[in-house]
Amino acid sequence: MRPSHIEHIGIAVSNLEEAIRYYEQVLGLECYALEEVKDQKVRTAFFRVGETKIELLESTGADGAVGKFIEKRGQGVHHIAFAMDDTDKALKEAEAKGVQLIDKTSRKGAEGLDIGFLHPKSTFGVLTEFCSHK
Ligand code: CMX
């Protein structure tokens, strides 16, 4: 397995609109999509920076992954997502190499991507996501 590029960097923020203003007005990027992912209890905003995207994540439920992250660690980089050919295949390969998975099989994430997470305890403290278009 080898990722083709960093698909996106997920950043946990307390207030999506305030964070969008920073990325637009200071960095000059354009928010091209806003999406709520109910399953993950987040509202997201996307910006393109070359081939990579920035995904801002605002919690919509304190018991969700991002709600708990902000409560415990504050705002900041939440995960790194690698673009793979096939998320399910990559998850299986990582598991075979002894990595602890959060998702055994892919699920649907923002932008209709097939996504799956590796546990940060197994990846040197960085929550790692694989994603692909099937
Ligand atoms: N990055 C690094 N470490 C993290 C982390 C993150 N994003 N989130 C939690 N952790 C650490 C915690 O600090 C904790 O470490 P310690 O034991 O040293 O304190 C450990 O992982 C376990 O954390 P926890 O709070 O007990 O467990 P959670 O119930 O919060 O679960 C995790 C953590 C990673 C399994 C969970 O957040 C998860 O399943 N994440 C995947 C899904 C997700 O993140 N969805 C949101 C984004 C969706 C999208 O991009 O659309």
Side-chain angles (χ1 to χ4, degrees), residues 2-3 17 21 44 48 74 79 84-85 90 101 106 110 122 124 129:
R2 177 177 290 189
E17 277 66 35
R21 269 200 295 283
T44 65
R48 287 195 183 87
H79 65 269
M84 311 303 281
D85 280 344
L101 305 184
S106 66
S122 231
F124 302 89
E129 178 181 347

Side-chain angles (χ1 to χ4, degrees), residues 45-113:
F46 284 92
F47 303 82
R48 287 195 183 87
V49 190
E51 229 185 326
T52 301
K53 298 162 191 161
I54 298 288
E55 178 188 29
L56 301 181
L57 299 152
E58 181 195 76
S59 166
T60 57
D63 57 337
V66 173
K68 283 164 98 175
F69 177 88
I70 289 184
E71 170 75 25
K72 208 166 176 177
R73 301 164 69 129
Q75 303 184 90
V77 174
H78 180 261
H79 65 269
I80 294 186
F82 292 100
M84 311 303 281
D85 280 344
D86 181 328
T87 298
D88 285 295
K89 214 168 130 199
L91 289 171
K92 278 203 184 75
E93 278 186 49
E95 189 173 37
K97 288 177 179 164
V99 176
Q100 187 189 335
L101 305 184
I102 291 171
D103 300 304
K104 291 255 179 203
T105 57
S106 66
R107 49 184 153 135
K108 284 287 171 204
E111 302 197 303
L113 291 173

Side-chain angles (χ1 to χ4, degrees), residues 1-7 81-85 90 129-131:
M1 102 167 89
R2 177 177 290 189
S4 58
H5 60 282
I6 292 178
E7 211 283 335
F82 292 100
M84 311 303 281
D85 280 344
E129 178 181 347
F130 290 157
C131 46

Side-chain angles (χ1 to χ4, degrees), residues 10-24 31 33-37 41-47 54-60 66 70 75:
I11 299 174
V13 300
S14 303
N15 183 305
L16 198 63
E17 277 66 35
E18 272 178 23
I20 289 172
R21 269 200 295 283
Y22 162 74
Y23 281 89
E24 289 192 329
C31 174
L34 286 169
E35 185 180 345
E36 180 166 356
V37 186
K41 299 191 178 164
V42 287
R43 284 205 306 137
T44 65
F46 284 92
F47 303 82
I54 298 288
E55 178 188 29
L56 301 181
L57 299 152
E58 181 195 76
S59 166
T60 57
V66 173
I70 289 184
Q75 303 184 90

